[in-house]
Amino acid sequence: MPGQGPGYYQQPPGHPYYPGAVAPPAQASRPLIAGWVVLAAGVAAVVGSLLPWASISAPILGTVSVSGTDGADGWITLVLGLVLAAGAGLRIRGPRLPSLATIVTNVVAIGSALALFIIGVWKIVDLRSTENELRDSLSSGPDDPFGIGDAFSNAVQVHLGAGLVLITAAGLAGAVAMVLMLLRGRVRT
């Protein structure tokens, strides 16, 4: 038989060139789960920017909701979410970037995720602070002998909106997933 003489070397089973071997999947073609988490975090930040961030209920005024894009902060978080999603998209499906471009993309994505988290926490703390100031301003003072301000202060309700919670969670999840993705990449190389 040809190919089985004294100088013939047969590859061991499991070797990629062994005729019956199944080649291992290429690492580059298999997107990491962390990349999909970062992409989902970016999309969640965009959606959270459009959702209500807070609602205030008062007996005479009714309920008023404020979305993120009603102010400048919501537009900032919307752009940060788009940047985070684009960075994740480049990591998952994009062509191989030069190493400098990869580093810049990773830094921008992590920075965007951390900025989303910081803005979310800052706005939650600011909302709670505003709620306390509102209650203090409505509370009874020397000018309110009948306690109407106290009653009105207790009736006013300030609720945290789903959008603000979503932005904060997306920022945290995106930052953690990006760091895990970078650590996993360093271990492999």
Side-chain angles (χ1 to χ4, degrees):
M1 281 185 112
Q4 291 191 1
Y8 177 75
Y9 175 74
Q10 184 176 4
Q11 299 291 343
H15 189 275
Y17 297 112
Y18 184 72
V22 176
Q27 295 292 350
S29 67
R30 185 179 65 156
L32 300 173
I33 293 174
W36 290 104
V37 171
V38 174
L39 181 64
V43 171
V46 169
V47 171
S49 298
L50 302 172
L51 290 175
W53 282 17
S55 63
I56 301 171
S57 300
I60 297 172
L61 302 173
T63 301
V64 176
S65 286
V66 178
S67 72
T69 54
D70 289 343
D73 295 332
W75 291 105
I76 292 170
T77 57
L78 184 106
V79 169
L80 289 171
L82 289 173
V83 168
L84 185 62
L90 286 174
R91 294 279 297 181
I92 294 172
R93 302 286 289 160
R96 288 287 178 197
L97 299 173
S99 61
L100 181 62
T102 301
I103 291 169
V104 170
T105 302
N106 292 337
V107 168
V108 169
I110 289 173
S112 297
L114 288 174
L116 283 166
F117 178 69
I118 290 168
I119 289 172
V121 169
W122 169 53
K123 293 308 264 180
I124 289 170
V125 169
D126 186 47
L127 180 67
R128 294 301 173 207
S129 168
T130 303
E131 178 183 15
N132 292 336
E133 289 174 8
L134 178 66
R135 289 190 190 281
D136 289 343
S137 70
L138 293 174
S139 295
S140 294
D143 298 335
D144 188 17
F146 298 110
I148 295 173
D150 260 347
F152 195 71
S153 170
N154 293 333
V156 172
Q157 300 291 320
V158 178
H159 300 284
L160 189 63
L164 200 50
V165 172
L166 193 57
I167 284 170
T168 307
L172 181 62
V176 168
M178 276 302 296
V179 168
L180 289 176
M181 192 173 5
L182 291 176
L183 290 176
R184 183 178 288 165
R186 284 196 182 266
V187 169
R188 283 191 187 132
T189 56

